[in-house]
Amino acid sequence: MLREDAGLVELTADALPVLVPGSTGLRVAVVAETFLPAVNGVVNSVLRLVDHLAVRGHDPVVVAPSGASYESRCGARVEVVTVPAMRLPRYRQLSLARPAGDLTAVLRRLAPDVVHLASPAVLGLAAARAARTLGVPSVAVFQTDLAAYAQRYRLPGGAPAAWRYLRRVHGTADLTLAPSSATAAVLARQGIGPVALWPRGVDLDQFAPCHRDETLRQQFAPDGELLVGVVARLAVEKRLELLAPLSELPGVRLVVVGDGPQRRALTRLMPRARFLGQLGGAELGAVVASLDLFVHPGADETFCQAVQEALAAGVPAVVAASGGPLDLVRHRENGWLWAGADPHLLAAIVAGLRDDRTALQAAAARARPSVEGRTWGRVGDDLIDHLHRLRTAAHAA
C-alpha cells in the first residue's frame, strides 16, 4: 500500500511488484542528461536501470547526448538515440544536451508507455514537455543537486534561479523520485511534488569484504598505517580539498579514486595522497574493500552511492552530516557524522579512529549488514512498480 505524508509517497512491503511471467512489458524511454562514455552516478544508475528493465522483460530505449546502441548485461539489445550535444567550459569531459530542441517527434517515433527522466535538466525538460504533449506519463528522478552546483560554480541567478528552473522541470512530470529522505524534504520545501522515495541499489558481489587485498594494502600502507580512501568525481562540489589536513596525519595514508577537473590542483595540494584515477569493476571493488575507513566530505550529495558501496564492502564511513548520507550512516554504529566544514575537525576524527582500532573494527562489522537489503534488483522492482502505476493512472484518466 502507499503512505502519503507532506508530499512524500513511501512504498510499504506489500506494494512490491508481483511480476507475472508472460505479462505485457513496458516500453520505457529513459532520458539521460549524460551517458556513456562519461562515468558518473547518473550514468551508472541509468545502466543499472536499463539492464534491470531488460531482465524483467521490459523494453528500454535510451535518449541521451552521447553513446551508442549496445548489448546490456543480460544480452538484450538497447537502442540509444542521441541528440545534439555541447560541453561545459569547465568540465570538458561531459557531453550535455544543447538547451534547445523539441523531442516530440523522437518520442512519437519511439512510442513509449512511460518516459523516465534521469536527473532531468535541459534534455529532461524537453522530454517532459514532449511526453505531456503526447499524453505519455513521465517520472523524473532527482539525482543531481543543480541548485548547489549553481551556487558553487557561481552560475547566473545562483540557487534561486536553479530552483525556479527545477520546479518547471519537475512540475511538468507526473511524479518525482527522490533518492533519500533528506532530499525528499528539500524538494517538498521547494514546492516540488508529488515526491516518492526511491533510493539506489548496491552490487553486493562487486563490493564485499572478501575482496580485501593484502597486497594492495602493503602497496598503499607499507608500514601498517590506517588506510583511508575516497571515491568521487574530482570536482569542486565534492570539497575534496578538505581532506588535505587528513592526508598529512602521521600513521595515515590517503587513497583517492576518481578523475575530474580538480585532479591537478588536488594532487599539488595533497602530495602524500595516492591518486589512482578512474577505476571500475573488480579493481574498484578490491581497492574499496582494502580500506580501513572511507571518508567523503561532500555536503551536497542527494544520495552518495560511493558511501553505500564502501559500507557494502565492510568499510565504515565518515561523511558530512547532510543530504543523502544521513540515510546510510548511523553515527558511531556503521560510521561517523562530521558536522560543519572544518577540515581540522575531520582530521581529528580520523586521528581518533587511527588510535582506536577497536571502535573502527566494531563499526566495520556493522557496515555491510546496514545495506544488505538495498540490492539493485529490489530497488529496480520498486521503480517498475512506480512505472506501472503511472501507466495505469494515465489510462484511467
Side-chain angles (χ1 to χ4, degrees):
M1 58 187 294
L2 290 174
R3 179 178 64 82
E4 291 197 44
D5 183 18
L8 174 64
V9 184
E10 180 182 345
L11 279 173
T12 56
D14 58 349
L16 292 176
V18 178
L19 301 172
V20 180
S23 61
T24 303
L26 292 170
R27 171 77 162 166
V28 183
V30 180
V31 181
E33 300 290 334
T34 64
F35 196 56
L36 296 173
V39 178
N40 55 52
V42 174
V43 174
N44 292 340
S45 293
V46 168
L47 291 171
R48 291 281 186 176
L49 162 64
V50 167
D51 190 60
H52 189 74
L53 287 170
V55 165
R56 289 296 196 232
H58 302 288
D59 182 20
V61 56
V62 176
V63 180
S66 63
S69 298
Y70 68 99
E71 186 175 285
S72 76
R73 293 192 301 171
C74 71
R77 185 68 176 170
V78 177
E79 181 184 1
V80 177
V81 177
T82 57
V83 298
M86 66 177 187
R87 296 182 186 275
L88 289 176
R90 299 186 189 179
Y91 217 143
R92 305 300 296 175
Q93 300 96 321
L94 280 180
S95 293
L96 300 177
R98 291 178 184 171
D102 183 354
L103 290 184
T104 304
V106 173
L107 290 187
R108 182 180 288 114
R109 177 178 71 80
L110 297 177
D113 295 302
V114 183
V115 175
H116 175 97
L117 309 171
S119 195
V122 174
L123 189 60
L125 178 58
R129 286 172 170 169
R132 178 151 291 190
T133 297
L134 297 172
V136 178
S138 63
V139 58
V141 177
F142 188 89
Q143 188 162 340
T144 304
D145 190 345
L146 295 179
Y149 278 34
Q151 185 168 332
R152 289 194 182 278
Y153 285 95
R154 299 179 181 177
L155 299 180
W163 279 119
R164 284 194 297 272
Y165 184 78
L166 287 169
R167 280 190 286 271
R168 286 174 57 198
V169 175
H170 289 267
T172 308
D174 296 285
L175 175 67
T176 291
L177 299 179
S180 65
S181 54
T183 300
V186 170
L187 292 173
R189 287 198 301 269
Q190 291 294 334
I192 292 175
V195 178
L197 191 61
W198 183 60
R200 302 291 171 265
V202 63
D203 188 329
L204 295 174
D205 294 323
Q206 181 185 3
F207 298 97
C210 63
H211 299 313
R212 189 176 178 90
D213 188 329
E214 292 303 325
T215 301
L216 277 178
R217 289 184 54 77
Q218 179 64 29
Q219 178 185 345
F220 296 144
D223 296 320
E225 298 96 336
L226 182 75
L227 188 56
V228 179
V230 61
V231 180
R233 190 169 59 253
L234 307 189
V236 172
E237 66 273 9
K238 302 301 180 181
R239 305 196 308 172
L240 297 176
E241 71 280 359
L242 299 180
L243 299 177
L246 179 163
S247 72
E248 298 294 332
L249 287 173
V252 172
R253 292 291 181 182
L254 176 64
V255 172
V256 180
V257 179
D259 208 346
Q262 294 292 304
R263 179 166 182 169
R264 183 175 299 178
L266 291 169
T267 302
R268 289 197 300 266
L269 180 66
M270 297 183 286
R272 292 185 69 246
R274 291 286 297 271
F275 286 79
L276 305 184
Q278 194 75 49
L279 301 180
E283 189 176 16
L284 176 61
V287 170
V288 173
S290 300
L291 301 173
D292 296 310
L293 183 66
F294 188 89
V295 177
H296 200 294
D300 302 321
E301 302 297 313
T302 58
F303 184 76
C304 204
Q305 178 71 341
V307 169
Q308 181 167 249
E309 290 168 349
L311 295 173
V315 179
V318 178
V319 299
S322 65
L326 292 173
D327 281 0
L328 297 169
V329 175
R330 296 192 295 274
H331 190 56
R332 295 185 178 179
E333 291 188 31
N334 62 351
W336 292 266
L337 299 176
W338 161 55
D342 184 347
H344 299 286
L345 176 58
L346 176 60
I349 293 172
V350 173
L353 295 171
R354 174 200 59 195
D355 300 334
D356 188 356
R357 298 299 180 100
T358 300
L360 194 62
Q361 290 169 3
R366 293 188 287 262
R368 185 173 175 87
S370 70
V371 297
E372 276 185 317
R374 294 170 169 266
T375 66
W376 278 109
R378 178 163 186 172
V379 300
D381 284 348
D382 286 352
L383 177 65
I384 290 171
D385 188 59
H386 283 302
L387 300 181
H388 274 299
R389 288 175 183 275
L390 284 174
R391 186 179 67 165
T392 300
H395 286 176

